[in-house]
Amino acid sequence: MSRAFIFPGQGSQAVGMGRELGEAFASAREVFQEIDDALGQKLSKLMWDGPQEDLTLTENAQPAIMAVSLAVMRTLEKEGGFKLADKAAFVAGHSLGEYSALAAAGSFTISDAARLLKRRGLAMQRAVPVGVGAMAALLGVEFDAASEIAKEAAQGEVCEAANDNGGGQVVISGMKAAVERAIEIAKTRGAKRSMLLPVSAPFHCALMQPAADEMADALAQVEIKAPSVPLVANVTASRVADPATIRDLLVRQVTGMVRWRESVLYMESQGVSRYVEVGAGKALSGMVKRIAQEPEISAAGTPADVEALLKTL
């Protein structure tokens, strides 16, 4: 049975992220320094010392999450002679995690990925004034039902399914009033819990079109190589390796839904039974457990994780 390496998205950031890796491995420190240099910012200091409110800003959280993922990958390569193409059938990432996945597979340089994510975060924040949009998690509601709730709540405003995370967990996104209506409707449709999320913008919906336009310009200026391992894309929930197609899908991803449930099911249909979550936190591992049939899951975000993983790869 084959293996997929998966990369987390926004929400997994926390003060102290990556500190142990940097202290334990010179290869990890190299990655953090490379990203600091690319951004002209001491992002590593913000990651390790905070404050949390600055780290949580989308423009910082996105490259920071990628930084930990790529520090892990560099350490696996340097410490264990690890080659992704020899160990994985697919890479996949949740939202910004696609950039981490592509950098891990050699499509982007780490510096380009960091600059793209910084710009992506700024563009997404600028696209909608703070307080105008919102996102909410509908728990205990399957995807089709959640989509109907969003459609009913829209009433001429934007309200869409943004993340299909599987296991009855769907995130919706759009105008704040419409999202709040959806929360109330969900309570009458058997949802176990429905709640606004603490985010600063309504990601992965039509309101993000200005950010998608900006990312189209940014991505047009960056070289994208064919990945050493195929990517399972958020937008299509299927494999992609062609650089031009990857570029297009990354633009579409800004407004498009993250089809994570379908992505995991696709990888499972292709023989994947082992998943390695690379980076801070274990959010994707929990999602995979709810979707796949008896998956084998490893997490790689700390020095102990890295050392354990090197023994099993």
Side-chain angles (χ1 to χ4, degrees):
M1 303 293 279
S2 58
R3 185 186 291 110
F5 277 61
I6 56 178
F7 297 81
Q10 201 160 335
S12 58
Q13 69 276 357
V15 172
M17 61 192 295
R19 183 193 294 273
E20 290 184 3
L21 279 170
E23 291 173 345
F25 300 110
S27 50
R29 292 195 297 274
E30 290 171 3
V31 170
F32 296 137
Q33 186 62 55
E34 188 174 338
I35 291 172
D36 285 353
D37 292 344
L39 298 180
Q41 172 190 5
K42 288 294 291 183
L43 183 65
S44 57
K45 179 173 175 54
L46 178 59
M47 291 162 57
W48 298 340
D49 299 332
Q52 180 70 32
E53 56 267 27
D54 289 349
L55 179 60
T56 301
L57 291 173
T58 301
E59 65 183 90
N60 295 323
Q62 294 199 22
I65 291 164
M66 184 214 69
V68 177
S69 293
L70 272 296
V72 171
M73 293 302 298
R74 178 76 63 82
T75 300
L76 289 172
E77 293 166 355
K78 291 286 185 71
E79 299 296 321
F82 166 88
K83 291 185 178 180
L84 185 65
D86 296 337
K87 302 295 183 180
F90 298 103
V91 293
H94 194 284
S95 190
L96 78 91
E98 283 202 329
Y99 287 79
S100 305
L102 288 164
S107 286
F108 291 131
T109 66
I110 291 177
S111 295
D112 281 345
R115 286 188 287 262
L116 285 167
L117 284 174
K118 183 76 171 181
R119 186 165 177 181
R120 183 178 184 266
L122 286 167
M124 294 173 95
Q125 189 61 69
R126 285 193 294 258
V128 180
V130 174
V132 173
M135 299 181 78
L138 307 184
L139 307 181
V141 180
E142 295 302 324
F143 175 71
D144 288 345
S147 295
E148 285 301 314
I149 290 169
K151 183 178 179 180
E152 183 177 336
Q155 297 181 18
E157 296 182 322
V158 173
C159 188
E160 305 169 3
N163 301 339
D164 179 9
N165 291 331
Q169 183 187 108
V170 180
V171 174
I172 61 172
S173 182
M175 299 295 287
K176 186 175 183 181
V179 170
E180 289 174 338
R181 287 193 293 270
I183 290 173
E184 295 305 311
I185 294 170
K187 292 177 181 178
T188 70
R189 303 288 170 83
K192 293 179 181 178
R193 192 178 179 193
S194 303
M195 56 192 174
L196 288 172
L197 297 177
V199 296
S200 56
F203 307 132
H204 297 290
C205 75
L207 296 175
M208 287 287 108
Q209 188 57 51
D213 294 340
E214 185 167 340
M215 288 312 296
D217 291 339
L219 286 159
Q221 300 171 38
V222 173
E223 180 183 11
I224 301 178
K225 297 179 181 178
S228 61
V229 176
L231 173 77
V232 178
N234 287 180
V235 172
T236 60
S238 60
R239 66 187 294 152
V240 58
D242 173 65
T245 304
I246 289 170
R247 196 185 310 272
D248 175 63
L249 291 176
L250 288 174
V251 174
R252 291 168 55 192
Q253 183 224 57
V254 178
T255 56
M257 182 177 69
V258 176
R259 296 168 61 182
W260 188 252
R261 174 180 60 87
E262 294 172 90
S263 295
V264 172
L265 291 175
Y266 172 79
M267 288 187 282
E268 189 175 43
S269 76
Q270 301 300 302
V272 172
S273 63
R274 301 170 184 168
Y275 299 82
V276 180
E277 181 170 2
V278 184
K282 299 180 181 179
L284 294 185
S285 297
M287 293 180 196
V288 169
K289 288 178 182 177
R290 293 195 299 267
I291 301 166
Q293 298 295 316
E294 299 183 356
E296 179 182 320
I297 299 174
S298 302
T302 68
D305 291 339
V306 169
E307 290 170 359
L309 188 59
L310 284 173
K311 294 175 182 177
T312 62
L313 288 176

PDB file of all heavy atoms in Angstrom, residues 10-11 94 133-139 162-163 165 169-173 176 179-180 183 193-203:
ATOM      1  N   GLN A  10      -4.287  26.982   7.427  1.00  0.00           N
ATOM      2  CA  GLN A  10      -4.366  27.995   8.469  1.00  0.00           C
ATOM      3  C   GLN A  10      -5.187  27.493   9.651  1.00  0.00           C
ATOM      4  O   GLN A  10      -6.180  26.781   9.476  1.00  0.00           O
ATOM      5  CB  GLN A  10      -4.980  29.279   7.906  1.00  0.00           C
ATOM      6  CG  GLN A  10      -4.655  30.504   8.721  1.00  0.00           C
ATOM      7  CD  GLN A  10      -4.830  31.778   7.933  1.00  0.00           C
ATOM      8  OE1 GLN A  10      -4.739  31.780   6.705  1.00  0.00           O
ATOM      9  NE2 GLN A  10      -5.075  32.883   8.611  1.00  0.00           N
ATOM     10  N   GLY A  11      -4.760  27.876  10.848  1.00  0.00           N
ATOM     11  CA  GLY A  11      -5.405  27.413  12.068  1.00  0.00           C
ATOM     12  C   GLY A  11      -4.467  26.578  12.910  1.00  0.00           C
ATOM     13  O   GLY A  11      -4.685  26.391  14.108  1.00  0.00           O
ATOM     14  N   HIS A  94      -4.029  21.325   2.592  1.00  0.00           N
ATOM     15  CA  HIS A  94      -5.318  21.969   2.843  1.00  0.00           C
ATOM     16  C   HIS A  94      -5.153  23.471   2.670  1.00  0.00           C
ATOM     17  O   HIS A  94      -4.443  24.118   3.433  1.00  0.00           O
ATOM     18  CB  HIS A  94      -5.784  21.628   4.255  1.00  0.00           C
ATOM     19  CG  HIS A  94      -7.223  21.943   4.526  1.00  0.00           C
ATOM     20  ND1 HIS A  94      -7.670  23.219   4.735  1.00  0.00           N
ATOM     21  CD2 HIS A  94      -8.317  21.133   4.607  1.00  0.00           C
ATOM     22  CE1 HIS A  94      -8.985  23.186   4.945  1.00  0.00           C
ATOM     23  NE2 HIS A  94      -9.394  21.933   4.877  1.00  0.00           N
ATOM     24  N   GLY A 133     -17.465  40.035   5.975  1.00  0.00           N
ATOM     25  CA  GLY A 133     -17.621  38.604   5.710  1.00  0.00           C
ATOM     26  C   GLY A 133     -17.426  37.783   6.966  1.00  0.00           C
ATOM     27  O   GLY A 133     -17.035  38.287   8.018  1.00  0.00           O
ATOM     28  N   ALA A 134     -17.693  36.477   6.841  1.00  0.00           N
ATOM     29  CA  ALA A 134     -17.537  35.570   7.979  1.00  0.00           C
ATOM     30  C   ALA A 134     -17.446  34.138   7.474  1.00  0.00           C
ATOM     31  O   ALA A 134     -17.779  33.841   6.315  1.00  0.00           O
ATOM     32  CB  ALA A 134     -18.706  35.716   8.959  1.00  0.00           C
ATOM     33  N   MET A 135     -16.988  33.266   8.363  1.00  0.00           N
ATOM     34  CA  MET A 135     -16.986  31.838   8.097  1.00  0.00           C
ATOM     35  C   MET A 135     -17.572  31.135   9.318  1.00  0.00           C
ATOM     36  O   MET A 135     -17.484  31.625  10.441  1.00  0.00           O
ATOM     37  CB  MET A 135     -15.575  31.319   7.824  1.00  0.00           C
ATOM     38  CG  MET A 135     -14.906  31.947   6.624  1.00  0.00           C
ATOM     39  SD  MET A 135     -13.240  31.289   6.297  1.00  0.00           S
ATOM     40  CE  MET A 135     -13.662  29.717   5.490  1.00  0.00           C
ATOM     41  N   ALA A 136     -18.185  29.982   9.088  1.00  0.00           N
ATOM     42  CA  ALA A 136     -18.767  29.218  10.190  1.00  0.00           C
ATOM     43  C   ALA A 136     -18.582  27.735   9.933  1.00  0.00           C
ATOM     44  O   ALA A 136     -18.565  27.278   8.785  1.00  0.00           O
ATOM     45  CB  ALA A 136     -20.256  29.532  10.342  1.00  0.00           C
ATOM     46  N   ALA A 137     -18.422  26.990  11.013  1.00  0.00           N
ATOM     47  CA  ALA A 137     -18.338  25.538  10.938  1.00  0.00           C
ATOM     48  C   ALA A 137     -19.697  24.953  11.270  1.00  0.00           C
ATOM     49  O   ALA A 137     -20.310  25.311  12.283  1.00  0.00           O
ATOM     50  CB  ALA A 137     -17.287  25.011  11.906  1.00  0.00           C
ATOM     51  N   LEU A 138     -20.166  24.061  10.402  1.00  0.00           N
ATOM     52  CA  LEU A 138     -21.399  23.325  10.652  1.00  0.00           C
ATOM     53  C   LEU A 138     -20.987  21.890  10.966  1.00  0.00           C
ATOM     54  O   LEU A 138     -20.442  21.196  10.106  1.00  0.00           O
ATOM     55  CB  LEU A 138     -22.320  23.360   9.427  1.00  0.00           C
ATOM     56  CG  LEU A 138     -22.638  24.751   8.845  1.00  0.00           C
ATOM     57  CD1 LEU A 138     -23.640  24.622   7.691  1.00  0.00           C
ATOM     58  CD2 LEU A 138     -23.160  25.701   9.913  1.00  0.00           C
ATOM     59  N   LEU A 139     -21.216  21.453  12.181  1.00  0.00           N
ATOM     60  CA  LEU A 139     -20.770  20.143  12.630  1.00  0.00           C
ATOM     61  C   LEU A 139     -21.951  19.194  12.751  1.00  0.00           C
ATOM     62  O   LEU A 139     -23.033  19.563  13.248  1.00  0.00           O
ATOM     63  CB  LEU A 139     -20.061  20.254  13.978  1.00  0.00           C
ATOM     64  CG  LEU A 139     -18.920  21.278  14.048  1.00  0.00           C
ATOM     65  CD1 LEU A 139     -18.288  21.283  15.438  1.00  0.00           C
ATOM     66  CD2 LEU A 139     -17.864  20.990  12.985  1.00  0.00           C
ATOM     67  N   ALA A 162     -17.235  26.238   1.856  1.00  0.00           N
ATOM     68  CA  ALA A 162     -15.838  26.615   1.612  1.00  0.00           C
ATOM     69  C   ALA A 162     -14.880  25.454   1.816  1.00  0.00           C
ATOM     70  O   ALA A 162     -13.897  25.322   1.092  1.00  0.00           O
ATOM     71  CB  ALA A 162     -15.443  27.763   2.537  1.00  0.00           C
ATOM     72  N   ASN A 163     -15.117  24.640   2.833  1.00  0.00           N
ATOM     73  CA  ASN A 163     -14.269  23.484   3.130  1.00  0.00           C
ATOM     74  C   ASN A 163     -15.161  22.280   3.395  1.00  0.00           C
ATOM     75  O   ASN A 163     -15.983  22.318   4.321  1.00  0.00           O
ATOM     76  CB  ASN A 163     -13.406  23.695   4.393  1.00  0.00           C
ATOM     77  CG  ASN A 163     -12.486  24.883   4.312  1.00  0.00           C
ATOM     78  OD1 ASN A 163     -12.158  25.356   3.244  1.00  0.00           O
ATOM     79  ND2 ASN A 163     -12.070  25.375   5.456  1.00  0.00           N
ATOM     80  N   ASN A 165     -14.617  19.102   4.914  1.00  0.00           N
ATOM     81  CA  ASN A 165     -13.557  18.443   5.670  1.00  0.00           C
ATOM     82  C   ASN A 165     -13.869  16.995   6.031  1.00  0.00           C
ATOM     83  O   ASN A 165     -13.023  16.308   6.607  1.00  0.00           O
ATOM     84  CB  ASN A 165     -13.257  19.238   6.951  1.00  0.00           C
ATOM     85  CG  ASN A 165     -12.594  20.568   6.656  1.00  0.00           C
ATOM     86  OD1 ASN A 165     -11.883  20.712   5.659  1.00  0.00           O
ATOM     87  ND2 ASN A 165     -12.824  21.546   7.505  1.00  0.00           N
ATOM     88  N   GLN A 169     -18.229  17.572   8.893  1.00  0.00           N
ATOM     89  CA  GLN A 169     -17.670  18.877   9.224  1.00  0.00           C
ATOM     90  C   GLN A 169     -17.535  19.692   7.939  1.00  0.00           C
ATOM     91  O   GLN A 169     -16.708  19.389   7.085  1.00  0.00           O
ATOM     92  CB  GLN A 169     -16.300  18.746   9.892  1.00  0.00           C
ATOM     93  CG  GLN A 169     -15.718  20.082  10.328  1.00  0.00           C
ATOM     94  CD  GLN A 169     -14.298  19.980  10.835  1.00  0.00           C
ATOM     95  OE1 GLN A 169     -13.354  20.413  10.178  1.00  0.00           O
ATOM     96  NE2 GLN A 169     -14.129  19.377  12.003  1.00  0.00           N
ATOM     97  N   VAL A 170     -18.372  20.688   7.805  1.00  0.00           N
ATOM     98  CA  VAL A 170     -18.365  21.553   6.624  1.00  0.00           C
ATOM     99  C   VAL A 170     -18.229  23.000   7.090  1.00  0.00           C
ATOM    100  O   VAL A 170     -18.923  23.427   8.019  1.00  0.00           O
ATOM    101  CB  VAL A 170     -19.649  21.382   5.791  1.00  0.00           C
ATOM    102  CG1 VAL A 170     -19.614  22.292   4.561  1.00  0.00           C
ATOM    103  CG2 VAL A 170     -19.837  19.928   5.377  1.00  0.00           C
ATOM    104  N   VAL A 171     -17.348  23.748   6.446  1.00  0.00           N
ATOM    105  CA  VAL A 171     -17.182  25.171   6.741  1.00  0.00           C
ATOM    106  C   VAL A 171     -17.829  25.966   5.616  1.00  0.00           C
ATOM    107  O   VAL A 171     -17.627  25.660   4.434  1.00  0.00           O
ATOM    108  CB  VAL A 171     -15.693  25.539   6.876  1.00  0.00           C
ATOM    109  CG1 VAL A 171     -15.520  27.058   7.033  1.00  0.00           C
ATOM    110  CG2 VAL A 171     -15.076  24.812   8.065  1.00  0.00           C
ATOM    111  N   ILE A 172     -18.633  26.970   5.986  1.00  0.00           N
ATOM    112  CA  ILE A 172     -19.267  27.841   5.002  1.00  0.00           C
ATOM    113  C   ILE A 172     -18.645  29.224   5.095  1.00  0.00           C
ATOM    114  O   ILE A 172     -18.058  29.594   6.113  1.00  0.00           O
ATOM    115  CB  ILE A 172     -20.796  27.907   5.190  1.00  0.00           C
ATOM    116  CG1 ILE A 172     -21.136  28.470   6.581  1.00  0.00           C
ATOM    117  CG2 ILE A 172     -21.415  26.535   4.982  1.00  0.00           C
ATOM    118  CD1 ILE A 172     -22.628  28.749   6.761  1.00  0.00           C
ATOM    119  N   SER A 173     -18.786  30.001   4.018  1.00  0.00           N
ATOM    120  CA  SER A 173     -18.124  31.301   3.933  1.00  0.00           C
ATOM    121  C   SER A 173     -18.985  32.254   3.121  1.00  0.00           C
ATOM    122  O   SER A 173     -19.684  31.846   2.192  1.00  0.00           O
ATOM    123  CB  SER A 173     -16.760  31.123   3.263  1.00  0.00           C
ATOM    124  OG  SER A 173     -16.044  32.342   3.198  1.00  0.00           O
ATOM    125  N   LYS A 176     -21.437  38.189   6.196  1.00  0.00           N
ATOM    126  CA  LYS A 176     -21.650  37.841   7.595  1.00  0.00           C
ATOM    127  C   LYS A 176     -23.119  37.576   7.919  1.00  0.00           C
ATOM    128  O   LYS A 176     -23.450  36.592   8.609  1.00  0.00           O
ATOM    129  CB  LYS A 176     -21.117  38.948   8.502  1.00  0.00           C
ATOM    130  CG  LYS A 176     -21.168  38.576   9.981  1.00  0.00           C
ATOM    131  CD  LYS A 176     -20.516  39.634  10.852  1.00  0.00           C
ATOM    132  CE  LYS A 176     -20.522  39.199  12.316  1.00  0.00           C
ATOM    133  NZ  LYS A 176     -19.897  40.232  13.189  1.00  0.00           N
ATOM    134  N   VAL A 179     -24.116  34.183   6.573  1.00  0.00           N
ATOM    135  CA  VAL A 179     -23.512  33.093   7.345  1.00  0.00           C
ATOM    136  C   VAL A 179     -24.237  32.940   8.684  1.00  0.00           C
ATOM    137  O   VAL A 179     -24.486  31.814   9.140  1.00  0.00           O
ATOM    138  CB  VAL A 179     -22.001  33.355   7.551  1.00  0.00           C
ATOM    139  CG1 VAL A 179     -21.401  32.365   8.544  1.00  0.00           C
ATOM    140  CG2 VAL A 179     -21.275  33.267   6.212  1.00  0.00           C
ATOM    141  N   GLU A 180     -24.606  34.047   9.304  1.00  0.00           N
ATOM    142  CA  GLU A 180     -25.343  33.969  10.563  1.00  0.00           C
ATOM    143  C   GLU A 180     -26.718  33.349  10.351  1.00  0.00           C
ATOM    144  O   GLU A 180     -27.201  32.580  11.202  1.00  0.00           O
ATOM    145  CB  GLU A 180     -25.464  35.360  11.180  1.00  0.00           C
ATOM    146  CG  GLU A 180     -24.128  35.880  11.719  1.00  0.00           C
ATOM    147  CD  GLU A 180     -24.200  37.316  12.204  1.00  0.00           C
ATOM    148  OE1 GLU A 180     -25.116  38.059  11.761  1.00  0.00           O
ATOM    149  OE2 GLU A 180     -23.329  37.715  13.007  1.00  0.00           O
ATOM    150  N   ILE A 183     -26.239  29.610  10.210  1.00  0.00           N
ATOM    151  CA  ILE A 183     -26.062  29.011  11.533  1.00  0.00           C
ATOM    152  C   ILE A 183     -27.419  28.719  12.171  1.00  0.00           C
ATOM    153  O   ILE A 183     -27.638  27.637  12.746  1.00  0.00           O
ATOM    154  CB  ILE A 183     -25.227  29.945  12.436  1.00  0.00           C
ATOM    155  CG1 ILE A 183     -23.772  29.980  11.958  1.00  0.00           C
ATOM    156  CG2 ILE A 183     -25.301  29.508  13.899  1.00  0.00           C
ATOM    157  CD1 ILE A 183     -22.910  30.994  12.683  1.00  0.00           C
ATOM    158  N   ARG A 193     -23.543  21.186  16.189  1.00  0.00           N
ATOM    159  CA  ARG A 193     -23.023  22.480  16.613  1.00  0.00           C
ATOM    160  C   ARG A 193     -22.779  23.342  15.390  1.00  0.00           C
ATOM    161  O   ARG A 193     -22.321  22.837  14.364  1.00  0.00           O
ATOM    162  CB  ARG A 193     -21.721  22.298  17.399  1.00  0.00           C
ATOM    163  CG  ARG A 193     -21.242  23.547  18.125  1.00  0.00           C
ATOM    164  CD  ARG A 193     -19.974  23.242  18.898  1.00  0.00           C
ATOM    165  NE  ARG A 193     -19.468  24.417  19.594  1.00  0.00           N
ATOM    166  CZ  ARG A 193     -18.274  24.513  20.142  1.00  0.00           C
ATOM    167  NH1 ARG A 193     -17.445  23.471  20.089  1.00  0.00           N
ATOM    168  NH2 ARG A 193     -17.886  25.607  20.744  1.00  0.00           N
ATOM    169  N   SER A 194     -23.069  24.622  15.496  1.00  0.00           N
ATOM    170  CA  SER A 194     -22.814  25.567  14.405  1.00  0.00           C
ATOM    171  C   SER A 194     -22.252  26.832  15.019  1.00  0.00           C
ATOM    172  O   SER A 194     -22.846  27.381  15.955  1.00  0.00           O
ATOM    173  CB  SER A 194     -24.096  25.892  13.642  1.00  0.00           C
ATOM    174  OG  SER A 194     -24.684  24.712  13.134  1.00  0.00           O
ATOM    175  N   MET A 195     -21.110  27.298  14.499  1.00  0.00           N
ATOM    176  CA  MET A 195     -20.456  28.425  15.167  1.00  0.00           C
ATOM    177  C   MET A 195     -19.628  29.240  14.189  1.00  0.00           C
ATOM    178  O   MET A 195     -19.049  28.716  13.238  1.00  0.00           O
ATOM    179  CB  MET A 195     -19.555  27.903  16.276  1.00  0.00           C
ATOM    180  CG  MET A 195     -18.535  26.897  15.794  1.00  0.00           C
ATOM    181  SD  MET A 195     -17.708  26.047  17.144  1.00  0.00           S
ATOM    182  CE  MET A 195     -16.747  24.842  16.186  1.00  0.00           C
ATOM    183  N   LEU A 196     -19.593  30.555  14.439  1.00  0.00           N
ATOM    184  CA  LEU A 196     -18.694  31.421  13.696  1.00  0.00           C
ATOM    185  C   LEU A 196     -17.251  31.068  14.024  1.00  0.00           C
ATOM    186  O   LEU A 196     -16.938  30.681  15.152  1.00  0.00           O
ATOM    187  CB  LEU A 196     -18.951  32.883  14.037  1.00  0.00           C
ATOM    188  CG  LEU A 196     -20.236  33.523  13.498  1.00  0.00           C
ATOM    189  CD1 LEU A 196     -20.412  34.903  14.096  1.00  0.00           C
ATOM    190  CD2 LEU A 196     -20.214  33.598  11.979  1.00  0.00           C
ATOM    191  N   LEU A 197     -16.368  31.188  13.035  1.00  0.00           N
ATOM    192  CA  LEU A 197     -14.953  30.906  13.235  1.00  0.00           C
ATOM    193  C   LEU A 197     -14.184  32.209  13.439  1.00  0.00           C
ATOM    194  O   LEU A 197     -14.534  33.236  12.849  1.00  0.00           O
ATOM    195  CB  LEU A 197     -14.387  30.151  12.029  1.00  0.00           C
ATOM    196  CG  LEU A 197     -14.985  28.766  11.772  1.00  0.00           C
ATOM    197  CD1 LEU A 197     -14.386  28.160  10.509  1.00  0.00           C
ATOM    198  CD2 LEU A 197     -14.755  27.836  12.957  1.00  0.00           C
ATOM    199  N   PRO A 198     -13.134  32.176  14.253  1.00  0.00           N
ATOM    200  CA  PRO A 198     -12.357  33.397  14.519  1.00  0.00           C
ATOM    201  C   PRO A 198     -11.372  33.692  13.397  1.00  0.00           C
ATOM    202  O   PRO A 198     -10.156  33.573  13.543  1.00  0.00           O
ATOM    203  CB  PRO A 198     -11.637  33.056  15.829  1.00  0.00           C
ATOM    204  CG  PRO A 198     -11.446  31.571  15.765  1.00  0.00           C
ATOM    205  CD  PRO A 198     -12.674  31.036  15.066  1.00  0.00           C
ATOM    206  N   VAL A 199     -11.890  34.057  12.231  1.00  0.00           N
ATOM    207  CA  VAL A 199     -11.059  34.390  11.073  1.00  0.00           C
ATOM    208  C   VAL A 199     -11.344  35.829  10.667  1.00  0.00           C
ATOM    209  O   VAL A 199     -12.395  36.375  10.985  1.00  0.00           O
ATOM    210  CB  VAL A 199     -11.323  33.433   9.891  1.00  0.00           C
ATOM    211  CG1 VAL A 199     -10.934  32.007  10.254  1.00  0.00           C
ATOM    212  CG2 VAL A 199     -12.785  33.479   9.458  1.00  0.00           C
ATOM    213  N   SER A 200     -10.413  36.413   9.940  1.00  0.00           N
ATOM    214  CA  SER A 200     -10.515  37.830   9.602  1.00  0.00           C
ATOM    215  C   SER A 200     -11.092  38.092   8.223  1.00  0.00           C
ATOM    216  O   SER A 200     -11.266  39.248   7.834  1.00  0.00           O
ATOM    217  CB  SER A 200      -9.129  38.480   9.701  1.00  0.00           C
ATOM    218  OG  SER A 200      -8.204  37.785   8.878  1.00  0.00           O
ATOM    219  N   ALA A 201     -11.392  37.034   7.478  1.00  0.00           N
ATOM    220  CA  ALA A 201     -11.931  37.220   6.127  1.00  0.00           C
ATOM    221  C   ALA A 201     -12.682  35.947   5.718  1.00  0.00           C
ATOM    222  O   ALA A 201     -12.433  34.861   6.252  1.00  0.00           O
ATOM    223  CB  ALA A 201     -10.807  37.510   5.132  1.00  0.00           C
ATOM    224  N   PRO A 202     -13.597  36.062   4.753  1.00  0.00           N
ATOM    225  CA  PRO A 202     -14.374  34.902   4.282  1.00  0.00           C
ATOM    226  C   PRO A 202     -13.637  34.173   3.160  1.00  0.00           C
ATOM    227  O   PRO A 202     -13.852  34.432   1.978  1.00  0.00           O
ATOM    228  CB  PRO A 202     -15.675  35.542   3.782  1.00  0.00           C
ATOM    229  CG  PRO A 202     -15.239  36.889   3.281  1.00  0.00           C
ATOM    230  CD  PRO A 202     -14.112  37.332   4.180  1.00  0.00           C
ATOM    231  N   PHE A 203     -12.771  33.254   3.519  1.00  0.00           N
ATOM    232  CA  PHE A 203     -11.928  32.560   2.551  1.00  0.00           C
ATOM    233  C   PHE A 203     -12.736  31.566   1.713  1.00  0.00           C
ATOM    234  O   PHE A 203     -13.786  31.078   2.116  1.00  0.00           O
ATOM    235  CB  PHE A 203     -10.794  31.821   3.260  1.00  0.00           C
ATOM    236  CG  PHE A 203      -9.984  32.700   4.179  1.00  0.00           C
ATOM    237  CD1 PHE A 203      -9.692  32.294   5.464  1.00  0.00           C
ATOM    238  CD2 PHE A 203      -9.530  33.939   3.760  1.00  0.00           C
ATOM    239  CE1 PHE A 203      -8.944  33.099   6.322  1.00  0.00           C
ATOM    240  CE2 PHE A 203      -8.783  34.757   4.597  1.00  0.00           C
ATOM    241  CZ  PHE A 203      -8.497  34.333   5.882  1.00  0.00           C
TER     242      PHE A 203
END
